Structure formats: C-alpha cells, structure tokens
Amino acid sequence: MNADDLIVQESAYEGLTAWGEKLPHALLLHGPKGIGKLQLAEHFARFLLCEGRGAALQPCGRCEGCRWVRAGSHPDLRLVEPEAMARQTPAEDAEPDAEGAGRSKKKPSIEIRIEQVRQLDDFIHMGSHRAGRRVAIVHPAEDMNAPTANALLKNLEEPPPGAVFILVSHRPARLLPTVRSRCVQLPLAAPNADAAARWLDSRGVKDAARWLAFAGGAPMRAAELATDARGERIGRWRESLDQGAPGGIEAGSDREELELLVDVLQKYAFDRALESFGLMSKYRSTAAKGQPVSPQAWLAYARALGRERLLARHPLNPKLFAETLLRDFPGTLHS
Ligand SMILES: [Zn+2]
C-alpha cells in the first residue's frame, strides 16, 4: 500500500466497497469539516475507476485508470467545486464559457456555478471513456444555490447506468430536501484518534496529537494548521499567552486571521478553565503554567469570545477589535 492509500475514514471506506454491484447511484457523505470526507470520496472514486485491482479492496495504483486519476485527468471522473477552492484545473476551465471572455477578470466564485453542473449532463450521458463507471464528486454540495441544485437534481433523478454521484457536505441541512432524498446518506464522524494520528504521521506532521486536539479531532484541519503559516503563528500566540503577555500578539487585519485569533483565545481560555478545575485540557492549547486566575473568569472570557466570533467576520476596525480581545485576556501578567 502506498502513502496515498492511507485514508482516515478507513471503516467508512470498507463500508463503501462492500456495496459492490449494488452501489447506489447517488451518495451523500456528510459530517463536520476536516474529518476526511473529500479524501474518502476521492479514494472511493479511485477504487471505482481502478482497472487492475481484481478483487482487492484498494485501487492498485499502477493501472492506467489509477494513473489518470492521480494525474487529475481521468476522463470518467469529475470534481465539481467552487472555483475559489479548486485545486485541480480541469480542461474545461480553459474553454471560453457562454458568458464571454469578461469572466476571466472576475473573482473566482465561492459558489458552484450552474454551468459547472450543466457540464455534468454531457459528462454523465456521453458514456464511459474506459468502459467502466463515471464518477462525479460535488464538494461541498451546500455551495449550490437553488437553481444550481435543481439542475443537478435532474441528473440525480434519472442517472444513466454506471454513473455515480458522490455529494460531500459539511452542512447537509442546507441542501434542498429533494437533493438529499435522492441520495443514500452516509453520516461520518471524526475518525478514531489512532487512525488520525497514523495519517498525520504519514504526512510528516510533528506534534500530531496536539494539533489533532486543537482541531477538535479533525485530522485534515489539523494537518492544514500544522503545516502552513498559521501553525507557526498559533505557536507564537500561545507562547505569549502562556507568558501572560497577550500584548505581544500582533494579529493582522484580515478576517481569517482575526477568526483564527478568536479561535485560539477561546480554546486557550477553555483549557485554562478546565485546568483550574483540575481537569485535563481539551484542546491542549496551553504549555506553561499561566497566571493564577479563577476558572469562572476563564469561562466568562470564553463565553464573551463566543459572541465575538460572529463579529470577527465583519469587524468595523480590525486592529481595534483585536486589541479589545487581548485587553480583556484574564491571564495578563501585570508588572
Ligand atoms: Zn488501478
């Protein structure tokens, strides 16, 4: 088995492979963000499109089907995502679309566009290029507005043989009920800590258990945080908090950074409250012993941050917003 085959949702994957020929034509994988739903969908697509696995439960990784999937160019696989999050650049993106050349200057859409779903019509009905299945992954499915979802619905209602839709959703309640009801739903929870830690290790994430705790058990989120610039930033912030010196924290002014700051402060306060009660911290966000502060003060601060969370998305004055959050930090060391 190569490293790409290590997936965090192992048991759910086994469940999917067990469908065999009875596989429903539309699946809805849903659950919290960052727990490996998309990875599961993509790995299962590889399984379905593998031409050399025989009776094995893993894609062989060597056949032409597997190689094309890995290269992101399998003709019988489509990943439909909002432009803003697309990692692959499928060939059709290069084609001029109906709305003309002006589109290229627009900001990438944060929604799945109706054109993307309409392009699935041809894809699904054209017949397989490799005499196997055709797989369309829609992620995240809640990023479709009603007309787009209705366009998809047509395909979900009358799929040609061999077509498989895999919808991935963090918020299934936001899907049209008619879309939900056409799919066999597969609710997913965070994977067990061992599977998550193994996967994080395989990605070279240091301090995996700690990041996993901070990410609330969601390994994809943990890997993201630990390996990009945010990881280092969070580390520095925690150090300042441990030293009772929140004034040393410089949060930038963009929305994401503010949201991250609120998240870090809230988890930190919650962990300190637990520690003051003599309990294990939940998010493992503290290192050194901080200032003596009552658990009530920590909890009050964590609650206040819960309210600020929404404001962090649209602060009137980002700099002032961050300063106010940090000013109220209960563990400040006053000299
Ligand atoms: Zn293969």
Side-chain angles (χ1 to χ4, degrees):
M1 194 193 270
N2 72 43
D4 285 352
D5 290 335
L6 194 59
I7 55 168
V8 293
Q9 293 286 348
E10 284 167 346
S11 53
Y13 175 71
E14 282 165 23
L16 285 176
T17 58
W19 280 98
E21 289 305 309
K22 295 201 183 81
L23 183 70
H25 67 269
L27 295 164
L28 171 58
L29 314 184
H30 63 88
K33 220 171 175 167
I35 60 166
K37 299 186 298 296
L38 180 61
Q39 186 199 37
L40 173 65
E42 291 183 318
H43 194 73
F44 186 55
R46 281 177 61 198
F47 168 83
L48 292 174
L49 296 169
C50 174
E51 297 161 18
R53 68 180 153 78
L57 292 183
Q58 291 291 342
C60 74
R62 292 178 304 273
C63 72
E64 218 160 313
C66 282
R67 284 209 299 269
W68 285 24
V69 172
R70 188 164 295 153
S73 56
H74 197 297
D76 294 325
L77 174 63
R78 286 290 160 90
L79 174 61
V80 180
E81 287 186 307
E83 283 166 0
M85 64 163 59
R87 297 151 302 158
Q88 293 170 348
T89 45
E92 73 263 27
D93 278 2
E95 290 168 16
D97 61 31
E99 288 183 52
R103 170 167 293 282
S104 58
K105 288 177 193 148
K106 282 194 197 160
K107 261 178 132 176
S109 171
I110 56 165
E111 280 196 332
I112 292 170
R113 289 186 293 118
I114 196 162
E115 295 85 355
Q116 292 174 280
V117 167
R118 287 194 181 131
Q119 283 164 357
L120 284 180
D121 281 6
D122 293 341
F123 166 70
I124 287 295
H125 288 99
M126 203 141 55
S128 158
H129 293 261
R130 312 243 351 133
R133 295 194 186 260
R134 271 144 300 143
V135 184
I137 299 173
V138 181
H139 166 262
E142 63 270 25
D143 285 357
M144 290 185 289
N145 60 24
T148 306
N150 275 315
L152 179 70
L153 197 57
K154 277 204 316 214
N155 278 322
L156 293 179
E157 278 166 347
E158 304 153 26
V164 181
F165 287 87
I166 307 177
L167 276 58
V168 178
S169 175
H170 318 304
R171 298 177 159 186
R174 290 197 178 177
L175 299 178
L176 288 187
T178 41
V179 166
R180 272 201 311 270
S181 69
R182 293 291 180 280
C183 302
V184 170
Q185 299 196 31
L186 193 68
L188 297 166
N192 73 51
D194 284 348
R198 260 204 311 283
W199 181 78
L200 286 168
D201 281 343
S202 80
R203 301 275 140 161
V205 173
K206 293 196 183 77
D207 226 354
R210 186 169 167 146
W211 282 112
L212 194 61
F214 184 77
M220 274 51 199
R221 168 98 177 138
E224 239 178 73
L225 288 174
T227 52
D228 71 18
R230 285 174 295 179
E232 205 205 326
R233 204 174 305 148
I234 293 172
R236 269 187 283 120
W237 289 352
R238 281 168 172 166
E239 237 169 78
S240 297
L241 297 178
D242 277 344
Q243 288 161 4
I249 292 177
E250 282 209 24
S253 53
D254 73 274
R255 201 192 75 173
E256 267 184 47
E257 195 163 340
L258 282 180
E259 284 188 275
L260 186 64
L261 178 63
V262 175
D263 192 33
V264 168
L265 289 173
Q266 198 176 22
K267 284 175 174 159
Y268 189 93
F270 197 63
D271 276 349
R272 281 287 184 223
L274 289 171
E275 287 169 7
S276 318
F277 283 124
L279 300 167
M280 279 272 288
S281 78
K282 180 173 181 211
Y283 302 107
R284 299 184 59 178
S285 60
T286 63
K289 196 170 182 304
Q291 302 304 303
V293 176
S294 77
Q296 287 78 11
W298 284 120
L299 286 175
Y301 184 60
R303 263 199 306 276
L305 287 165
R307 291 189 293 272
E308 303 291 352
R309 247 190 140 94
L310 293 171
L311 291 175
R313 286 181 202 159
H314 309 283
L316 290 175
N317 181 337
K319 196 163 182 293
L320 188 66
F321 179 80
E323 280 170 9
T324 311
L325 295 181
L326 296 168
R327 188 197 58 209
D328 297 338
F329 182 74
T332 303
L333 177 65
H334 296 285
S335 51

